[in-house]
Amino acid sequence: MKTFIPEGYRSLLSIYDTQMAIGLLHRLFEDNLSGALNLARVSAPLFVEEQTGLNDNLNGVERPVDFDISVTGSSAQVVQSLAKWKRMALYRYRFYPGKGLYTDMNAIRRDEEVLDNLHSVYVDQWDWEKVITEHERTLDYLKTTVIDIVRAVCDTQDTLQAIYPKLLTVPRADRNVSFVTAQELEDRWPDKTPKEREDLYVREHPTTFVIGIGAPLRSGKPHDGRSPDYDDWSMNGDILIWNSLLQCAFEISSMGIRVDPESLDRQLTAAGCDSRRKLTYHKMLLSGELPLTIGGGIGQSRLSMLLLGKAHIGEVQASVWPEADRSLCEQNGVMLL
């Protein structure tokens, strides 16, 4: 998406009220999410040591921000997400099935391919992870969890609109979730890109969960990239909500049932990442030491954009933007933080 400002757009809230509303949104959503999924808040690292294998490799090409630590003589990497760290934390903190954690994750994506209305070098999200049983490693359990998260989003929006009447013009998120596989989207629109397929489908189904991210489809290409060592590619997906202001499918969450030893073994080989088997995290997972889990991330700035009716992610987070984007926003009365 090229950065643009919708015709006639004006922020519904002042800068001051926006900041107050973001703070309230965070408190409301954390309460709603933790209550729905039985999660407890924990503290999380900003950086980890590379040799632990705990950092997220994303699509395998993004370079993490690294730095040396003089007092220890070692080096560390700023996290790209906490997908693996959370599972290790559940093991170390002795969480039991049915109980999980959530935390604030802040990351730097130095190799973000494009900066626009939705994408930033700075990433902030609620990372969550929950211990499950072997019996719960199913698509039905995944779908039930998706519905719980969507309910938390909608409940948060209801309260925000009651407190800030100006937000009543922001369309309500649809509580009814449509589930579709990435393969079904490709079969329906084989000549479209994955993003175009999402836009076409989500326009018709305003709240959608796309299942099956990472594995090659029948075309030989995946719907989108997904690291092989946290989600089980057959039981994961993205929550998409139709953004009527920007006229696009708006991803607010990536999540899934996590890999067990068998699916990790299979996906590491399929992705050409067998070298990771030597890392501490991967050895523990392959040996069955780590608990079975479900987890994901929910974009904090993305959710703030959606529920506060904002046109640009820079209206709800402080980051660095190209000068051309800053000029465009300034010309249209949009203040980037």
Side-chain angles (χ1 to χ4, degrees):
M1 175 189 291
K2 182 179 179 181
T3 301
F4 77 102
I5 304 302
E7 185 176 355
Y9 169 76
R10 289 292 182 271
S11 175
L12 297 171
L13 300 178
S14 67
I15 295 295
Y16 178 86
D17 283 342
T18 293
Q19 293 299 310
M20 297 303 103
I22 290 173
L24 176 61
L25 186 158
H26 278 228
R27 295 191 295 275
L28 289 171
F29 183 71
E30 288 179 15
D31 285 346
N32 289 331
L33 180 69
S34 60
L37 301 186
N38 195 23
L39 308 177
R41 191 188 186 285
V42 301
S43 299
L46 178 60
F47 45 85
V48 294
E49 293 180 294
E50 180 180 5
Q51 66 269 22
T52 63
L54 288 176
N55 206 355
D56 186 353
N57 298 94
L58 301 177
N59 294 318
V61 296
E62 296 88 350
R63 298 172 300 156
V65 174
D66 53 22
F67 59 96
D68 63 279
I69 304 174
S70 59
V71 71
T72 65
S74 61
S75 61
Q77 296 178 338
V78 176
V79 297
Q80 297 200 107
S81 91
L82 295 172
K84 301 171 191 173
W85 177 88
K86 292 177 297 181
R87 193 166 181 179
M88 184 71 82
L90 290 172
Y91 166 78
R92 294 181 59 231
Y93 302 167
R94 301 179 185 274
F95 276 64
Y96 51 84
K99 185 69 176 178
L101 60 81
Y102 77 93
T103 191
D104 291 299
M105 192 283 294
N106 298 290
I108 300 171
R109 301 281 171 83
R110 63 192 294 183
D111 291 323
E112 186 68 61
E113 293 182 353
V114 62
L115 301 181
D116 56 19
N117 297 65
L118 307 181
H119 298 91
S120 171
V121 174
Y122 172 65
V123 179
D124 55 348
Q125 66 183 33
W126 290 283
D127 252 322
W128 65 274
E129 198 85 8
K130 182 178 179 179
V131 181
I132 60 174
T133 65
E134 179 67 38
H135 177 72
E136 292 170 325
R137 290 194 81 254
T138 65
L139 275 176
D140 285 341
Y141 188 84
L142 175 65
K143 290 178 179 180
T144 298
T145 304
V146 169
I147 292 170
D148 287 340
I149 293 172
V150 169
R151 185 176 71 249
V153 169
C154 294
D155 289 349
T156 300
Q157 184 174 35
D158 288 348
T159 304
L160 280 173
Q161 292 189 343
I163 295 174
Y164 293 95
K166 291 181 179 179
L167 298 179
L168 288 170
T169 58
V170 177
R172 296 284 182 100
D174 193 338
R175 292 176 180 267
N176 300 307
V177 183
S178 177
F179 294 92
V180 65
T181 67
Q183 187 60 62
E184 287 172 331
L185 293 182
E186 183 183 72
D187 292 344
R188 186 170 176 181
W189 294 290
D191 298 327
K192 301 293 185 182
T193 67
K195 183 65 176 70
E196 290 170 338
R197 295 171 199 150
E198 290 178 352
D199 286 343
L200 288 167
Y201 189 86
V202 181
R203 186 187 293 271
E204 299 173 359
H205 308 84
T207 301
T208 292
F209 186 71
V210 179
I211 301 169
I213 311 293
L217 304 176
R218 280 194 280 271
S219 64
K221 299 178 180 179
H223 181 80
D224 199 358
R226 194 64 56 87
S227 183
D229 43 15
Y230 53 93
D231 283 349
D232 185 321
W233 290 341
S234 65
M235 292 188 285
N236 71 352
D238 295 335
I239 299 177
L240 306 172
I241 295 179
W242 182 250
N243 188 314
S244 57
L245 177 63
L246 300 180
Q247 289 292 295
C248 68
F250 192 79
E251 180 188 327
I252 64 165
S253 178
S254 170
M255 59 177 288
I257 302 284
R258 303 309 200 187
V259 289
D260 59 5
E262 291 75 21
S263 54
L264 176 63
D265 178 61
R266 181 174 63 251
Q267 290 179 187
L268 285 177
T269 299
C273 297
D274 284 321
S275 61
R276 298 184 192 176
R277 297 173 186 272
K278 299 178 293 184
L279 299 172
T280 302
Y281 170 83
H282 298 73
K283 287 193 292 187
M284 292 181 68
L285 212 164
L286 288 167
S287 67
E289 293 181 63
L290 298 183
L292 299 175
T293 63
I294 182 174
I298 302 167
Q300 294 182 355
S301 291
R302 286 285 185 95
L303 192 60
S304 294
M305 275 188 73
L306 184 72
L307 301 190
L308 301 183
K310 299 293 188 178
H312 195 288
I313 197 168
E315 295 181 88
V316 295
Q317 65 158 240
S319 186
V320 175
W321 309 101
E323 184 54 41
D325 288 14
R326 286 195 168 278
S327 296
L328 174 65
C329 290
E330 185 176 350
Q331 291 165 14
N332 286 274
V334 175
M335 179 177 175
L336 301 182
L337 302 181

